[in-house]
Amino acid sequence: MRYLTMRYLATSTMQVVCAAALAFASARVDAQSQQTPAHPRPSSRAAVTRQIAESLGTVLRWAADDRAFPGAYAIVGDSRGVFAEVGVGHLDWAASPKPDRRTIWDLASLTKVIATTTAAAQLVERGKIALDAPVQRYLPAWVGPGKDSVTVRHLLTHTSGLPAFRNYDKQTTNRDSVAILIFETELERSAGERMVYSDIGAFVLGRVIERVSGLSLDQYVRVNLVRPLRLIDTRFNPPRSLRKRIAPTEIDTLRGGLVRGAVHDERAYYLGGVAAHAGLFSSAADLSRFATMMLRGGALDGARILTPATIAMFTAYADSTFSNRALGWQKAERQEMPYRTSSAWAGQFMSPRAFGHTGFTGTSIAIDPDLDLYIILLSNRVNPTRSNNKIGAVRSRLADAIVPVVRQHRANTSNARTR
């Protein structure tokens, strides 16, 4: 803990205060354990809830003061329910409502895991998709040099050889033309050679899901996830009647100014708002249900979304010596990995079984089965411009303030049971 405090001492005011808050929380835990070293008193759920609420408030208020976003909402819980949830700021820099658990946010790339990966996992589980089958088995028209070697697993682990993305929206805004350009994108390298996080690969995976299921992606998600899990606010292309509850994103002069209620990602927008890489909107309340379902082994309130075995398969490191990717999901990065993407959502203390993802608009989800914990952060950090990059530090500070509290709570509870 002293290392964390010293590490951030010379950074921004937000970083200093958040580090201090983490050190203070750790000191409280140490003091409690020192009082009864042989038989530590179990921390009550109410006490842990108070600590988490305090930490959430501290991190988010200083992030708001540092202008990391106009507004944000964070919710923390486990398989039993919500520990605490806190909102700060407003939906816009102009006069606007404060965010709450039913505020609807553009999830950006959380679409890849909440919608696309879940759909793929279900279809694998049902024997409709084989992970190591060539993509061309499902999409015969997806042809080009080297594409015959690309498997579904390659798409899920971002090792297909496809580029990250291309600004096809600068060439055309016609829906069909954008789709054709993305579909026909050539590989940049051989499949499996390296990991390159790819929106184009996610798009192709979405096409596989649609071809196999016979449903458009938004229809599939509505029938197989939204309805059975009773998600009220989760959808592509939210209707105009929900506009007041939606957090606006970036000012886009080509689209008439401040984007609100339409997907922020340009390529997803010109694809009609439904894409496998971006386009899903949701709320903290709905994502909390999703995370709870994942922690309960794929079922919630009588609805079975996935089996525990499927969740374990999709959320484990695909190859921990190669990259920090699971199947669709992201894992914590390690310095020795030759290919990795930043996993600020995990902070420094989550377990190796933790998995999560981020969204460009300022969203993130982290789920740790070993700690029975989820942390969800929703914000519109791209308002008014995507040049605001402070959200990464907020994500990591949030995780590092919460995880030690929960870890100590789990340890105390376990010790009490074995006395």
Side-chain angles (χ1 to χ4, degrees):
M1 298 306 159
R2 294 176 182 171
Y3 169 74
L4 285 176
T5 305
M6 293 298 294
R7 178 182 174 185
Y8 301 122
L9 199 58
T11 58
S12 69
T13 302
M14 178 191 72
Q15 294 171 320
V16 172
V17 173
C18 292
L22 174 58
F24 176 69
S26 301
R28 291 175 62 182
V29 171
D30 291 342
Q32 289 175 353
S33 62
Q34 290 170 7
Q35 290 174 2
T36 54
H39 301 290
R41 183 178 61 174
S43 52
S44 70
R45 189 173 181 88
V48 171
T49 293
R50 285 194 297 271
Q51 282 186 272
I52 290 175
E54 290 172 3
S55 296
L56 284 178
T58 298
V59 174
L60 292 186
R61 282 192 298 271
W62 280 101
D65 289 345
D66 198 45
R67 299 180 70 81
F69 39 64
Y73 200 85
I75 186 166
V76 176
D78 62 7
S79 61
R80 293 175 54 190
V82 175
F83 276 123
E85 48 191 305
V86 173
V88 296
H90 295 82
L91 300 190
D92 193 11
W93 294 110
S96 54
K98 295 181 178 180
D100 60 32
R101 70 191 332 262
R102 295 294 304 281
T103 296
I104 299 174
W105 307 83
D106 180 339
L107 298 187
S109 282
L110 290 195
T111 303
K112 292 185 178 75
V113 289
I114 305 300
T116 309
T117 297
T118 303
Q122 288 178 330
L123 293 169
V124 168
E125 187 176 285
R126 297 166 187 171
K128 302 294 185 180
I129 292 177
L131 287 172
D132 294 311
V135 173
Q136 288 180 354
R137 175 186 297 181
Y138 309 107
L139 301 175
W142 192 67
V143 295
K147 287 186 177 180
D148 58 328
S149 298
V150 179
T151 66
V152 174
R153 188 185 299 274
H154 286 134
L155 295 178
L156 281 161
T157 56
H158 297 276
T159 56
S160 66
L162 286 165
F165 75 97
R166 295 277 173 81
N167 289 320
Y168 290 132
D169 54 292
K170 304 298 183 184
Q171 298 180 39
T172 177
T173 58
N174 177 270
R175 176 176 177 172
D176 292 338
S177 298
V178 171
I180 291 170
L181 287 170
I182 297 175
F183 190 81
E184 294 181 348
T185 301
E186 295 185 356
L187 304 187
E188 287 188 334
R189 63 195 65 82
S190 299
E193 181 179 322
R194 60 181 299 180
M195 188 275 289
V196 174
Y197 179 73
S198 175
D199 283 357
I200 296 174
F203 170 88
V204 175
L205 180 60
R207 285 300 178 91
V208 171
I209 292 166
E210 292 181 330
R211 178 64 61 87
V212 168
S213 69
L215 299 171
S216 64
L217 183 63
D218 57 331
Q219 290 174 328
Y220 183 93
V221 171
R222 183 167 60 250
V223 171
N224 294 279
L225 178 65
V226 170
R227 287 178 182 169
L229 203 52
R230 299 205 293 270
L231 304 181
I232 300 172
D233 305 313
T234 304
R235 69 194 74 202
F236 293 89
N237 287 325
R240 194 168 183 83
S241 60
L242 296 178
R243 184 181 176 88
K244 290 182 179 179
R245 289 172 48 203
I246 300 173
T249 53
E250 192 170 20
I251 294 175
D252 186 341
T253 55
L254 296 178
R255 288 195 266 169
L258 189 64
V259 176
R260 185 172 196 174
V263 60
H264 170 263
D265 181 271
E266 294 88 349
R267 288 151 296 281
Y269 175 77
Y270 291 118
L271 286 168
V274 179
H277 70 281
L280 197 67
F281 287 74
S282 191
S283 65
D286 275 10
L287 291 183
S288 174
R289 288 186 61 80
F290 177 89
T292 303
M293 174 273 294
M294 295 291 282
L295 287 173
R296 291 188 183 182
L300 182 65
D301 296 339
R304 168 65 63 185
I305 306 301
L306 295 166
T307 66
T310 299
I311 291 177
M313 175 172 61
F314 269 73
T315 60
Y317 283 102
D319 182 349
S320 61
T321 67
F322 183 73
S323 76
N324 63 327
R325 304 304 308 190
L327 296 178
W329 290 92
Q330 189 186 36
K331 303 284 287 182
E333 59 188 304
R334 298 173 181 171
Q335 289 300 315
E336 66 271 19
M337 293 173 174
Y339 306 109
R340 57 187 187 272
T341 46
S342 174
S343 52
W345 52 267
Q348 300 184 67
F349 307 120
M350 285 197 170
S351 79
R353 289 184 63 204
F355 55 95
H357 213 276
T358 60
F360 188 77
T361 50
T363 60
S364 59
I365 183 170
I367 303 174
D368 192 331
D370 276 358
L371 292 177
D372 188 20
L373 170 69
Y374 66 80
I375 302 173
I376 295 165
L377 173 62
L378 301 171
S379 81
N380 52 343
R381 69 96 191 170
V382 294
N383 180 340
T385 170
R386 66 188 67 190
S387 63
N388 185 346
N389 292 316
K390 297 178 180 180
I391 193 65
V394 180
R395 289 169 176 147
S396 59
R397 303 299 183 276
L398 198 63
D400 287 347
I402 300 302
V403 173
V405 176
V406 175
R407 187 178 293 278
Q408 187 64 56
H409 170 59
R410 303 296 182 213
N412 288 349
T413 301
S414 177
N415 290 339
R417 289 173 179 168
T418 57
R419 281 191 301 182

